[in-house]
Amino acid sequence: MRCFIANWKEHKNPEEAVFWIKEFTSLIINDQRILEKLKNNELQIIICPQTSLIHPVLESLENLPNIYLGAQNISRFEEGDYTGEISARSVSNMVKFVILGHSERRNLFKEQEEDIEKKIRIAIDHGIEPILCLRGEQDKIYDNVNYIAYEPVWAIGTGNSESIKNVISMKRKLNLNKSVKFIYGGSVNEENAVEYLNSNEIDGFLIATASLDPKKFFQIINRL
Ligand code: PGA
């Protein structure tokens, strides 16, 4: 199964988000080949809007197989007096996944391994599957995580993607369990996606820039 994750980061308002979903779902509905892949569990799509957009997105998402929502972050606290935080509990009935440990969280918001470890545990406790992002070998891998996204910082949003050879070599170094999905992220687009997809080593993509446009995101999926 291949997994395509859209990370919208801090983009879009509710109107734009709903427009995206409508356009994207109509592309899917009109493509029998892609629909079959979703139904057969050959393809999984995860859309990760900012938290305030999760509800409008969910409302406009048609009941299509194997398309899920993900959050981009959750609080490291279960609940309590933590102004501005978003608890796992408050989103667990809307999302199936959460992106954790993204390099922007680690670098700009100073998230430490200790925070990430707590978030992973809380997510799992609430039935949310963590998608753990790693910048490289320096970041910790956790046994209870089934989705690992390797995202070299220099490749994020730059238009320069990591070579397939280096992505595979990083996978070897990480020495993941066989059951773990190994995702690549960093300037994936409709042109370079094919090369990664031709390799059986990569289980999917985490895509930000190219996911902001539903047609581009769909084109990448259509390379499958
Ligand atoms: P990009 O970002 O697709 O814009 O390179 C990927 C990410 O940060 O997840």
Side-chain angles (χ1 to χ4, degrees), residues 181-196:
K181 298 213 175 316
F182 178 69
I183 313 277
Y184 168 69
S187 295
V188 173
N189 59 37
E190 61 280 23
E191 268 117 51
N192 60 27
V194 183
E195 200 186 353
Y196 298 108

Side-chain angles (χ1 to χ4, degrees), residues 30 48 60 88-89 97 104 115 118 128 130 151 175 192:
N30 289 305
C48 305
S60 57
R89 206 176 141 236
F97 294 89
E104 286 153 14
D115 304 316
K118 283 185 185 156
I128 305 174
E151 297 205 307
N175 193 22
N192 60 27

Side-chain angles (χ1 to χ4, degrees), residues 51-91:
T51 312
S52 54
L53 301 177
I54 290 172
H55 190 250
V57 163
L58 192 63
E59 295 257 281
S60 57
L61 196 62
E62 312 221 3
N63 204 9
L64 289 168
N66 254 350
I67 303 189
Y68 303 101
L69 293 194
Q72 293 176 17
N73 188 24
I74 49 163
S75 171
R76 68 182 189 278
F77 301 108
E78 182 62 49
E79 68 176 329
D81 301 340
Y82 305 107
T83 303
E85 288 299 293
I86 310 278
S87 68
R89 206 176 141 236
S90 70
V91 291

